[in-house]
RNA sequence: GCCCUCCUGGCGCAAUUGGUUAGCGCAACGGACUUUUAAUCCGUGGGUUCUGGGUUCGAGUCCCAGGGGGGGCACCA
């Protein structure tokens, strides 16, 4: 109780560890700066040696040693009985010890919070992946690289916001609870509104609402936010993840390609000072212009023979069989083509490439290609073998959109749980007129993985989805 | 959802072909030490080996079921 009462409600540090180290690392061994500083942070190590004691204090910016002597510090005994993990504030002169370690020579200190649990082995930290993800608060301290990666994540989002705003986009918010789940092909989470006594879906994409805003007169909008998909968890999938979606009136997918490569390159350059980054031991070059090639060209390249939807369904089914795709009678040639591309080609693409002109069949919200029947003006930006972005010239003809929805409804009746539903309100919006519009979606988590050299999505999500722990005591 | 694999004190790890009271380091607790760097030295306590069954004279080790984790497949971003 006494201890609890003695813990202050605030503490004013005059310096942070990182800044002190940067400023005074030039001191000679045994030399004092003559400056007093107060620092606050967590005790990471403690070495008591009779009438002197050394502690490593870590704050958000780094670590600095605390040096305490019984002669100079009245509460020396209390200092020695600190636990690893305790938060303290300490004040004293900044100087180097005889051994040349920059330290705060503690004249007074105050306990800010007691750590009643330890942060694992002081050398190995916490290794158990289960514990690390369930107790992220401890993981973040025990394994500083985790905090570094998350900080990079938050910074990427921040840079992205600024970059978009500087291009005249405004950030908007649209419903997460939606009566109709649309804008992507995925299974939604379902929840219930009691007062309205109706089911609502957690959004799988903000797309259809953002385009409604364009109908309403917002010409350049973006939203960075969480979407939810009721699918399996894997090293690359979390049920909730963060997407950027943006829409630009009067633009087509060509404009969006230019925007995408410049936007991503701007983020990379601001983070690393260059357009090249190393991912999983290989260099990735984000410098524009990125390669542009059609889905069919790229697939033909890897197959060594011409592959396109012009081959017709039967020929494509044969090609699919050759590469190990088992045919599904509900698929048309477009879906087969996409399957073949994904199976044979996508993973082999390394440096950023715009994979263009998808089959209409698999792109219910994209506008028909201006010159290639059966195709839409859609691209995916593929980096390191994975889709990073998905974009298209938006379909703005309400009649065509209605047909596409109708086809989706059919597919859904046939058992595809990811099919879209008819969205009459969205069609009504289109009937008011959606100007030619280019749209883009970027998976922020995937981008962060690339830029933090992580192959595991869990590592760059602060609190990844997990099964609850079993109830204990 | 399917397949493979892992689960030992707070943390990191051990335990020979199943064989005596399950070891070690860190942390904790007590003691020594006035310039340490994972400080060192002496001492102490702490585990129903994920849970529940089973095989066996004997199970941390083998078998079955369940729980949780990880990887792969499927699905997707």
């Amino acid at each position: 109780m006494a201890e609890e009462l003695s813990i202050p409600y605030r503490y004013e540090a005059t310096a942070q560890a990182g800044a002190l180290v940067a400023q005074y690392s030039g001191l000679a061994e045994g030399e004092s700066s003559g400056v007093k500083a107060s620092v606050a942070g967590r005790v990471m190590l403690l070495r008591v040696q009779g009438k002197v004691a050394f502690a490593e204090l870590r704050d958000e910016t780094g670590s600095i040693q605390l040096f305490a002597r019984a002669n100079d510090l009245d509460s020396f005994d209390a200092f020695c009985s600190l636990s690893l993990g305790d938060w303290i504030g300490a004040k004293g002169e900044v100087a180097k010890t005889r051994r040349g370690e920059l330290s705060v020579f503690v004249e007074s200190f105050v306990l800010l919070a007691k750590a009643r649990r330890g942060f694992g082995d002081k050398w190995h930290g916490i290794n158990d992946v289960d514990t690390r993800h369930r107790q992220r608060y401890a993981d973040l301290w025990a394994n500083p690289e985790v905090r570094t990666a998350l900080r990079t994540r938050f910074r990427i989002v921040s840079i992205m916001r600024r970059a978009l705003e500087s291009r005249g986009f405004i950030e908007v918010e649209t419903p997460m609870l939606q009566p109709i789940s649309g804008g992507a092909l995925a299974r939604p989470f379902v929840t219930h509104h009691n007062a309205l006594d109706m089911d609502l879906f957690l959004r799988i994409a903000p797309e259809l609402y953002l385009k409604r805003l364009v109908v309403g007169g917002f010409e350049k909008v973006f939203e960075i936010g969480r979407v939810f998909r009721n699918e399996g968890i894997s090293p690359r999938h979390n049920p909730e993840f963060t997407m950027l979606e943006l829409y630009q009136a009067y633009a087509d997918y060509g404009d969006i390609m230019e925007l995408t490569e410049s936007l991503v390159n701007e983020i990379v350059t601001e983070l690393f000072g260059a357009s090249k980054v190393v991912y999983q031991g290989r260099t990735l070059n984000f410098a524009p212009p990125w390669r542009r090639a059609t889905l069919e060209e790229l697939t033909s390249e890897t197959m060594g023979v011409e592959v396109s939807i012009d081959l017709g369904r039967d020929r494509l089914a044969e090609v699919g069989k050759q590469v190990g795709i088992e045919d599904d009678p509900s698929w048309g040639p477009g879906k087969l083509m996409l399957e073949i591309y994904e199976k044979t080609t996508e993973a082999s693409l390394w440096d950023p490439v715009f994979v263009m002109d998808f089959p209409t069949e698999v792109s219910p919200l994209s506008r028909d290609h201006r010159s290639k029947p059966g195709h839409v003006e859609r691209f995916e930006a593929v980096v390191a073998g994975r889709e990073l972005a998905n974009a298209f010239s938006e379909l703005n003809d309400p009649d065509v959109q209605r047909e596409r929805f109708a086809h989706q409804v059919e597919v859904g009746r046939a058992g595809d749980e990811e099919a879209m539903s008819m969205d009459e309100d969205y069609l009504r919006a289109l009937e008011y007129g959606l100007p030619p519009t280019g749209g883009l979606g970027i998976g922020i988590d995937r981008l962060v993985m690339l830029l933090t050299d992580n192959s595991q999505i869990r590592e760059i999500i602060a609190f990844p989805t997990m099964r609850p722990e079993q109830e204990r005591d």
Side-chain angles (χ1 to χ4, degrees):
Chain A
M1 265 313 131
E3 184 178 78
E4 193 176 304
L5 288 173
S6 70
I7 289 179
Y9 283 78
R10 67 188 299 275
Y11 185 81
E12 200 155 316
T14 61
Q16 289 188 299
L20 287 179
V21 170
Q23 195 172 352
Y24 296 110
S25 58
L27 291 179
E29 292 168 10
E31 188 185 355
S32 172
S33 69
V35 171
K36 286 192 181 179
S38 56
V39 290
R42 207 164 217 155
V43 178
M44 299 309 290
L45 289 172
L46 182 65
R47 296 179 285 277
V48 178
Q49 196 175 321
K51 294 290 190 287
V52 296
F54 305 87
E56 180 188 328
L57 186 80
R58 189 152 96 197
D59 66 19
E60 197 178 357
T61 64
S63 294
I64 190 161
Q65 179 167 274
L66 303 180
F67 177 49
R69 276 184 296 208
N71 292 357
D72 309 331
L73 180 62
D74 294 337
S75 50
F76 181 77
D77 289 343
F79 188 87
C80 293
S81 62
L82 286 168
S83 301
L84 303 190
D86 286 351
W87 292 90
I88 64 168
K91 185 178 176 186
E93 200 160 289
V94 180
K96 275 202 176 169
T97 61
R98 278 183 223 159
R99 290 291 180 89
E101 181 76 31
L102 186 71
S103 308
V104 172
F105 283 53
V106 182
E107 292 160 18
S108 64
F109 83 97
V110 56
L111 182 70
L112 300 175
K114 193 76 193 158
R116 291 163 63 176
R117 297 170 184 265
F119 285 90
D121 189 286
K122 72 181 175 188
W123 190 242
H124 298 97
I126 300 172
N127 259 0
D128 184 68
V129 179
D130 187 37
T131 307
R132 287 190 43 228
H133 294 313
R134 287 191 196 283
Q135 302 185 34
R136 207 47 176 250
Y137 31 85
D139 182 36
L140 287 165
W141 266 99
N143 302 305
E145 67 279 5
V146 177
R147 204 166 65 220
T148 303
L150 279 177
R151 185 177 299 149
T152 302
R153 178 197 178 106
F154 301 141
R155 213 173 136 217
I156 287 169
V157 173
S158 164
I159 295 170
M160 183 176 271
R161 282 209 163 87
R162 265 183 286 128
L164 288 168
E165 284 170 355
S166 75
R167 286 167 172 78
F169 286 86
I170 62 171
E171 183 168 11
V172 301
E173 294 177 288
T174 61
M176 294 222 186
L177 295 174
Q178 305 179 346
I180 295 172
S181 165
L185 302 169
R187 291 174 64 183
F189 286 91
V190 187
T191 187
H192 189 79
H193 189 283
N194 289 339
L196 295 177
D197 189 24
M198 66 180 289
D199 283 342
L200 288 166
F201 300 99
L202 272 63
R203 70 176 177 190
I204 57 174
E207 172 152 357
L208 300 182
Y209 284 95
L210 290 171
K211 282 189 271 191
R212 284 173 170 97
L213 288 178
V214 179
V215 169
F218 286 93
E219 295 181 0
K220 293 170 103 174
V221 294
F222 76 95
E223 180 164 10
I224 293 174
R226 213 67 59 81
V227 297
F228 309 86
R229 299 191 184 176
N230 208 336
E231 288 153 0
I233 295 172
S234 86
R236 281 164 294 285
H237 300 86
N238 196 62
E240 53 178 306
F241 61 100
T242 303
M243 274 199 36
L244 160 75
E245 280 201 18
L246 69 80
Y247 293 87
Q248 178 174 351
Y250 319 124
D252 67 7
Y253 79 147
D255 297 310
I256 300 299
M257 278 185 243
E258 286 173 23
L259 174 63
T260 303
E261 61 193 5
S262 93
L263 177 67
V264 173
N265 187 242
E266 185 173 332
I267 292 166
V268 173
T269 308
E270 187 157 339
L271 280 176
F272 302 105
S275 294
K276 291 185 179 175
V277 304
V278 173
Y279 183 68
Q280 307 290 296
R282 284 180 69 183
T283 301
L284 277 171
N285 187 357
F286 286 96
W290 297 355
R291 183 181 177 198
R292 289 155 166 75
T294 70
L295 183 146
E296 290 170 349
E297 285 166 0
L298 289 163
T299 308
S300 302
E301 224 171 73
T302 47
M303 296 289 289
V305 293
E306 285 296 311
V307 187
S308 79
I309 59 170
D310 297 335
L311 293 180
R313 197 191 180 289
D314 293 346
R315 276 289 295 132
L316 280 170
E318 279 174 42
V319 175
K321 193 163 289 174
Q322 283 168 28
V323 298
I325 293 166
E326 47 178 306
D327 196 7
D328 182 318
S330 71
W331 294 352
K335 174 68 173 168
L336 272 164
M337 184 65 226
L338 180 65
E339 291 287 327
I340 293 166
Y341 156 75
E342 286 179 348
K343 181 94 178 185
T344 64
T345 304
E346 187 175 33
S348 68
L349 303 171
W350 186 258
D351 275 319
V353 52
F354 290 120
V355 181
M356 300 160 58
D357 300 345
F358 281 60
T360 305
E361 180 188 338
V362 295
S363 313
L365 302 169
S366 310
R367 186 168 177 181
D368 282 320
H369 196 283
R370 63 195 75 183
S371 62
K372 293 182 193 166
H375 297 76
V376 291
E377 293 198 356
R378 170 183 171 193
F379 72 82
E380 286 186 0
V382 174
V383 183
R386 297 234 161 68
E387 177 191 342
L388 175 68
N390 184 20
F392 26 90
S393 298
E394 302 297 333
L395 173 54
N396 60 353
D397 181 315
D399 298 327
V400 177
Q401 185 65 74
R402 180 177 293 281
E403 288 167 22
R404 301 271 184 87
F405 277 150
H407 176 68
Q408 284 293 313
V409 170
E410 262 177 54
V411 172
R413 286 219 184 91
D416 187 343
E417 295 184 83
E418 294 173 356
M420 293 182 189
S421 311
M422 182 68 68
D423 188 336
E424 289 291 349
D425 178 71
Y426 178 68
L427 292 170
R428 182 167 59 190
L430 291 186
E431 286 166 9
Y432 279 96
L434 174 70
T437 297
L440 169 69
I442 292 182
I444 300 291
D445 306 81
R446 292 281 169 83
L447 178 63
V448 173
M449 286 166 71
L450 288 172
L451 301 187
T452 59
D453 197 14
N454 266 303
S455 61
Q456 306 272 323
I457 197 170
R458 281 183 299 265
E459 296 299 331
I460 50 95
I461 293 178
F463 302 100
T465 304
M466 298 190 79
R467 278 202 172 83
E469 288 176 273
Q470 267 191 300
E471 287 184 27
R472 291 184 302 185
D473 40 42

